[in-house]
Amino acid sequence: MSLVGKKFPNLTIDAMSEMGDDLRINILDEAVNNQQKVLLFWYPKDFTFVCPTELHAFQEALGEFEKRNTKVIGASCDTNEVHFAWLNTPKDNGGIEGVTYPLLADTHRQLANTLGIVDQDFEYDEDGNEVFTGSNVTYRATYLIDETGKIFHEAVNDMPLGRNVKEFLRLIDAYTHVQKHGEVCPANWEEGKEAMKADRNSTAEYLAKN
């Protein structure tokens, strides 16, 4: 079930800073109280394979997100201690040393289950006993939240599929354009390109030129 257009869940979760500080972060409060957008991205596990490439990619683009008044937060179901160990593992050894944004440690899967992004299911054996199936970690889910706490974008990738960080910058630019100008953004819109009014004539004019 999509959460786009709804408020982000009002839950406070353990987190780890790059300095080793134990934090408590509420994504909804981060957006509303600080009047900023939030990009929250979930990855399956620390010390895995595709995951560090994504964490470093978000770090490399961190300045671009900050220019757009957007806070980046990573998340998995690992513990704070495992996060800190990974933060202290060099990049050339598969670690995420150098990552400076906070990482949620949703060890109880409270937020992940509320969002419905955990790979888990239950079946019954021939005796009627409940049998757990699935990896019990999250898919690569990404949420963009605006200054009111509303989710304006969500995406969920299967675990082998890494994300394109530039696409989230484009989506933030497009949403900010809508907020500022009241226009809508056509397919493949990028900052500086023509947008449209939300009416038939504007659409016809845009299609005629493109």
Side-chain angles (χ1 to χ4, degrees), residues 12-16 21-26 30 104 110:
T12 302
I13 305 297
D14 289 336
M16 172 59 60
D21 298 318
D22 291 323
L23 308 174
R24 296 278 289 166
I25 293 179
N26 183 306
E30 287 289 328
L104 296 188
Q110 183 182 13

Side-chain angles (χ1 to χ4, degrees), residues 5-34:
K6 299 179 174 65
K7 292 283 187 181
F8 195 85
N10 185 12
L11 293 171
T12 302
I13 305 297
D14 289 336
M16 172 59 60
S17 77
E18 82 279 9
M19 299 300 294
D21 298 318
D22 291 323
L23 308 174
R24 296 278 289 166
I25 293 179
N26 183 306
I27 300 296
L28 181 63
D29 286 348
E30 287 289 328
V32 176
N33 294 346
N34 297 318

Side-chain angles (χ1 to χ4, degrees), residues 43 46 76 78-87 103-105:
Y43 60 92
D46 294 0
S76 78
D78 295 282
T79 66
N80 270 354
E81 291 78 13
V82 175
H83 281 339
F84 191 54
W86 204 25
L87 284 162
L103 301 176
L104 296 188

Side-chain angles (χ1 to χ4, degrees), residues 23-210:
L23 308 174
R24 296 278 289 166
I25 293 179
N26 183 306
I27 300 296
L28 181 63
D29 286 348
E30 287 289 328
V32 176
N33 294 346
N34 297 318
Q35 282 297 285
Q36 62 184 352
K37 294 179 175 69
V38 176
L39 183 149
L40 172 66
F41 74 97
W42 294 81
Y43 60 92
K45 281 184 185 180
D46 294 0
F47 292 100
T48 51
F49 318 112
V50 175
C51 297
T53 70
E54 292 193 310
L55 272 80
H56 285 296
F58 278 109
Q59 179 66 35
E60 289 167 9
L62 198 58
E64 291 299 319
F65 287 107
E66 290 172 349
K67 287 179 187 177
R68 293 160 172 81
N69 191 33
T70 301
K71 185 176 182 69
V72 173
I73 298 175
S76 78
C77 298
D78 295 282
T79 66
N80 270 354
E81 291 78 13
V82 175
H83 281 339
F84 191 54
W86 204 25
L87 284 162
N88 282 280
T89 302
K91 182 178 181 181
D92 60 7
N93 197 28
I96 58 167
E97 187 176 42
V99 166
T100 60
Y101 48 82
L103 301 176
L104 296 188
D106 189 22
T107 54
H108 297 293
R109 292 160 175 75
Q110 183 182 13
L111 180 54
N113 278 319
T114 299
L115 296 170
I117 57 172
V118 181
D119 174 29
Q120 60 181 203
D121 204 354
F122 297 93
E123 298 175 353
Y124 293 91
D125 62 20
E126 58 187 14
D127 297 321
N129 299 311
E130 194 173 60
V131 179
F132 173 82
T133 61
S135 65
N136 205 32
V137 298
T138 66
Y139 295 105
R140 298 186 191 282
T142 314
Y143 297 88
L144 294 176
I145 301 108
D146 72 11
E147 299 85 348
T148 71
K150 185 182 80 172
I151 298 169
F152 66 91
H153 172 80
E154 65 178 344
V156 183
N157 291 7
D158 201 355
M159 294 170 196
L161 307 176
R163 283 162 277 215
N164 184 336
V165 173
K166 291 180 181 179
E167 172 63 4
F168 300 114
L169 292 168
R170 189 193 74 83
L171 287 165
I172 292 167
D173 286 341
Y175 189 77
T176 301
H177 184 93
V178 172
Q179 288 176 308
K180 288 182 177 179
H181 302 287
E183 295 181 316
V184 294
C185 296
N188 300 320
W189 183 92
E190 294 177 344
E191 184 65 44
K193 289 188 176 181
E194 181 183 2
M196 308 184 302
K197 295 178 181 178
D199 61 51
R200 186 182 298 273
N201 290 337
S202 183
T203 301
E205 290 173 7
Y206 179 87
L207 292 174
K209 291 186 288 184
N210 295 277

